[in-house]
Amino acid sequence: MLVKQISVFLENKSGRLAEVTKILGENGINISALSIADTTDFGILRLIVNNPEKAEQVLMENGFAVSATSVIAIGVEDKPGGLSTALEILARESIGIEYVYAFVGRDGKDAYVILRVENPDKAIDVLTKNNIKVLSSSAVYEF
Amino acid sequence: MKYWNQTYECMTRDEMTRVQTDRLINTVKRIFHNVPFYRDKMQKAGLEPGDIKSLEDLKKLPFTYKQDLRDTYPYGLFAVPLSEIVRIHASSGTTGRQTVVGYTRRDIDTWAEVMARTLSCAGATKESFIQVAYGYGLFTGGLGVHYGAERIGASVIPISGGNTKRQLQIMKDFGTTILACTPSYALYLAEEMEEAGIRKEDLHLKAGVFGAEPWSSNMRNEIEERLGIIAIDIYGLSEVIGPGVASECHCKNGLHIPEDHFIPEIIDPVTEEVLPPGSVGELVFTTITKEGLPLLRYRTRDISSLNYEVCECGRTCVRMSKVSGRTDDMLIIRGVNVFPSQIESVLLEIGETAPHYLLIVDRVDNLDSLEVWVEMTPSLFSDEVKMIEDIEKKIRKEIEGTLGINAKVRLVEPKTIERSEGKAKRVIDRRKL
């Protein structure tokens, strides 16, 4: 159930994001979701792609500092309060969240959210028990 | 072979003093008679050659500065007729007018002798394959190592600097056992080697003799680990002879100076007083066997100290500590003396950072600023902003702790700092003073 996310170190200067997406595009890698954490000097680009191993390899070959992280992806109902149900479950279990970002699925019914938590295995367990839809990695890579 | 020249390398202090005294007295006489520049200098100081009777009298002699070589450009300090000169080398002249050094046939012989000692310190024998990746030409590095290696009877591979792919190919195919180059180039070779998929096990490298620029002990560890060798620090400067002026042995605890050729002193660069053994100060050399360009008390501008204890290797000749900076390349930032090598040590102690960094000094609103660019490496990179910011903070704190100044630390993407195949460019000083 764990989804492999690729993180890339980027300096805050123009053209860096374009460079990464160009390399991925040229290598036939499709991006399902992305988010950037930024500071004044640098940013960390986080990517969910259809082929994380290849993405990691081609980016490294092009001189980027890259790391892979395990995250979880959940589907929540696309209506007010949809996300809070899931987050409350995690809070009840005292599972801290490092960061969250959302992305859109192709069917348009559910909203999808990537979560980086302290204890992903435990998070998957409690979410599943509480009927929250946790997506399999293969399902996420195909979005 | 443990020593190249056991007689001189393992002499007792008394014997060495006798050798040095004789040679010093002769050198001073020769210089006084043959070099008007020195005769004037000595007469101004009220000195006759006869006043120099022992090593104690060395401190009476005038200093020689790099500027003196420039002022007498090109041959003004030569002590033999030019017809006796068989080789001329010159400094690059990047910090002013180039300086010219000349060698007689016997000087070339002396140079090969001291360089053979250096290479023997690194374990070289006639069975060795020595790849000389220092530049050949006016720079003394290439030819200096070359003649020493030939003197030993090793197989010399005179590839010179640059052309990294070919260096690696030859290193692998020719079975190089000893590599001679700058430490930053050794690290660059290691990097390129990994990228080319060559493992250290594929090579026959045993040792490296690295010099011509400052490097930290952490950088040594990294080179040793990545190339699978013992890395020896060597020291030299063209004015004194070139490479061969000092070299570490396998103990890696200070660099042995062939004192039967060069007498070292440590002085306070400001008061010019001679400092007692063990004190840190500017290294000064007097050559006592050179014919072409003998120098009295040459101010190297390098910062070191001297240790007269007998080394574990058995050599008795004095050891200078690794050069920790230069009095002239020294940056003065907000009144604090900063040597790039100090910052390098700080960076290397944090994680396993490959030491690629750049110091940018500027002056904003009359205040000096120091910015340190450090390349991101896989071992430093983390998916979390906070952890990266913690690394920046840690580097900043360590620099403050070591140098006593605040620096702005900026992590940059891998391979964005320019690589060099010779001396590394570590500093950009934008101050307009």
Side-chain angles (χ1 to χ4, degrees):
Chain A
M1 303 295 254
L2 290 174
V3 177
K4 194 170 175 185
Q5 170 193 263
I6 300 299
S7 304
V8 189
F9 179 80
L10 292 181
E11 273 176 72
N12 262 5
K13 49 185 191 191
S14 57
R16 301 314 294 149
L17 183 57
E19 175 72 17
V20 172
T21 49
K22 180 170 162 247
I23 292 165
L24 294 177
E26 281 170 358
N27 284 279
I29 295 161
N30 193 34
I31 303 170
S32 324
L34 71 80
S35 122
I36 293 184
D38 68 315
T39 70
T40 338
D41 294 329
F42 67 88
I44 300 171
L45 170 65
R46 298 169 180 139
L47 295 162
I48 304 294
V49 296
N50 60 347
N51 188 343
E53 285 77 18
K54 189 173 175 195
E56 193 176 0
Q57 189 204 331
V58 297
L59 289 171
M60 267 196 218
E61 280 168 8
N62 279 279
F64 286 94
V66 186
S67 75
T69 325
S70 294
V71 294
I72 55 183
I74 58 172
V76 294
E77 262 189 288
D78 191 5
K79 62 168 200 190
L83 177 58
S84 81
T85 317
L87 298 186
E88 275 165 17
I89 294 163
L90 295 175
R92 214 160 43 226
E93 298 290 332
S94 305
I95 297 173
I97 300 170
E98 308 280 355
Y99 54 79
V100 173
Y101 55 99
F103 65 109
V104 188
R106 282 202 177 123
D107 59 7
K109 266 185 276 170
D110 279 353
Y112 299 97
V113 176
I114 298 287
L115 294 164
R116 164 81 171 147
V117 294
E118 286 165 349
N119 186 342
D121 292 321
K122 188 178 171 200
I124 290 172
D125 192 45
V126 297
L127 289 168
T128 318
K129 276 188 189 142
N130 286 279
N131 300 318
I132 302 289
K133 195 198 288 175
V134 179
L135 280 70
S136 71
S137 53
S138 56
V140 176
Y141 300 152
E142 291 313 315
F143 266 110
Chain B
M1 189 181 333
K2 202 171 168 198
Y3 311 111
W4 174 252
N5 190 335
Q6 192 168 355
T7 313
Y8 285 102
E9 289 178 88
C10 304
M11 217 168 225
T12 64
R13 185 50 46 193
D14 283 353
E15 285 171 322
M16 183 57 81
T17 302
R18 268 199 298 279
V19 168
Q20 289 180 325
T21 307
D22 284 351
R23 293 181 177 181
L24 175 66
I25 290 171
N26 283 330
T27 297
V28 171
K29 268 187 212 152
R30 210 155 30 84
I31 286 181
F32 188 86
H33 291 113
N34 299 343
V35 188
F37 173 88
Y38 274 122
R39 187 162 53 238
D40 288 353
K41 256 196 175 185
M42 281 178 67
Q43 281 170 340
K44 272 189 195 130
L47 282 175
E48 294 279 323
D51 296 334
I52 307 302
K53 299 188 203 78
S54 72
L55 294 186
E56 275 300 296
D57 298 325
L58 183 62
K59 61 176 182 288
K60 296 179 186 163
L61 290 165
F63 289 109
T64 310
Y65 302 87
K66 198 176 182 83
Q67 191 58 41
D68 295 333
L69 284 137
R70 290 185 181 133
D71 291 345
T72 56
Y73 176 87
Y75 304 137
L77 292 186
F78 286 16
V80 294
L82 291 176
S83 57
E84 297 302 309
I85 297 293
V86 301
R87 178 94 64 76
I88 293 168
H89 283 280
S91 73
S92 52
T94 44
T95 54
R97 196 186 224 182
Q98 62 180 347
T99 50
V100 181
V101 295
Y103 302 75
T104 63
R105 197 171 297 284
R106 197 174 138 223
D107 291 338
I108 295 286
D109 193 62
T110 302
W111 194 8
E113 159 71 23
V114 292
M115 199 55 224
R117 290 189 202 174
T118 288
L119 290 166
S120 300
C121 272
T125 66
K126 62 197 295 292
E127 318 299 330
S128 304
F129 287 81
I130 303 181
Q131 182 162 340
V132 185
Y134 283 113
Y136 277 66
L138 286 175
F139 172 57
T140 51
L143 284 163
V145 177
H146 183 105
Y147 274 61
E150 277 195 357
R151 171 63 56 91
I152 289 173
S155 309
V156 186
I157 306 166
I159 186 165
S160 193
N163 204 341
T164 306
K165 280 208 173 71
R166 189 141 188 252
Q167 298 271 3
L168 291 172
Q169 181 81 46
I170 282 180
M171 197 181 287
K172 188 162 160 257
D173 296 351
F174 293 11
T176 302
T177 58
I178 293 178
L179 172 67
C181 62
T182 59
S184 59
Y185 190 56
L187 210 49
Y188 181 67
L189 278 170
E191 224 169 71
E192 292 297 303
M193 190 175 103
E194 280 153 27
E195 241 163 59
I198 301 172
R199 298 168 311 146
K200 58 187 176 189
E201 292 79 17
D202 300 334
L203 304 173
H204 294 91
L205 273 187
K206 291 195 179 83
V209 285
F210 305 122
E213 65 183 19
W215 50 313
S216 63
S217 53
N218 287 304
M219 189 162 168
R220 185 214 301 272
N221 295 341
E222 196 177 340
I223 292 171
E224 290 191 330
E225 171 58 32
R226 289 169 78 171
L227 288 175
I229 59 171
I230 171 168
I232 296 288
D233 188 22
I234 67 167
Y235 175 81
L237 61 169
S238 62
E239 296 86 344
V240 175
I241 203 155
V245 178
S247 168
E248 282 180 336
C249 59
H250 274 229
C251 304
K252 295 190 279 193
N253 186 16
L255 293 81
H256 291 282
I257 296 170
E259 286 180 86
D260 48 323
H261 297 284
F262 318 116
I263 304 178
E265 295 171 280
I266 292 286
I267 64 158
D268 180 316
V270 180
T271 65
E272 304 194 325
E273 290 289 315
V274 177
L275 300 176
S279 318
V280 175
E282 183 179 332
L283 189 57
V284 171
F285 280 106
T286 300
T287 69
I288 50 174
T289 52
K290 268 175 76 190
E291 298 179 331
L293 181 65
L295 294 177
L296 297 180
R297 307 189 80 199
Y298 183 71
R299 299 279 299 262
T300 64
R301 303 289 177 197
D302 285 328
I303 296 181
S304 181
S305 64
L306 295 173
N307 175 2
Y308 285 89
E309 282 165 35
V310 176
C311 182
E312 276 174 45
C313 73
R315 286 180 181 84
T316 54
C317 44
V318 68
R319 282 170 283 165
M320 58 177 267
S321 64
K322 192 176 203 32
V323 171
S324 63
R326 283 184 60 78
T327 59
D328 58 356
D329 284 355
M330 182 175 80
L331 291 161
I332 302 180
I333 301 171
R334 277 174 242 153
V336 178
N337 300 347
V338 175
F339 305 110
S341 55
Q342 290 177 295
I343 291 185
E344 186 167 315
S345 313
V346 165
L347 292 178
L348 281 160
E349 262 136 50
I350 295 171
E352 307 129 38
T353 331
H356 287 295
Y357 65 93
L358 186 66
L359 309 183
I360 297 171
V361 192
D362 208 344
R363 182 161 286 187
V364 182
D365 299 330
N366 293 318
L367 195 68
D368 291 343
S369 66
L370 172 65
E371 201 170 303
V372 182
W373 288 17
V374 184
E375 276 187 9
M376 181 56 89
T377 63
S379 65
L380 289 182
F381 183 49
S382 146
D383 170 52
E384 282 163 45
V385 172
K386 193 178 158 297
M387 286 173 76
I388 296 179
E389 285 179 336
D390 280 350
I391 290 168
E392 284 184 338
K393 224 178 280 170
K394 198 171 163 202
I395 297 172
R396 197 168 59 232
K397 260 182 96 174
E398 294 284 325
I399 290 176
E400 202 184 342
T402 312
L403 306 176
I405 56 170
N406 279 307
K408 178 172 169 34
V409 174
R410 197 166 138 195
L411 291 164
V412 298
E413 287 173 27
K415 308 206 167 166
T416 47
I417 294 172
E418 202 187 323
R419 297 294 193 275
S420 68
E421 301 205 341
K423 296 201 185 194
K425 185 161 180 66
R426 306 282 197 209
V427 181
I428 294 176
D429 197 338
R430 291 184 180 142
R431 290 176 294 186
K432 290 179 187 74
L433 302 178

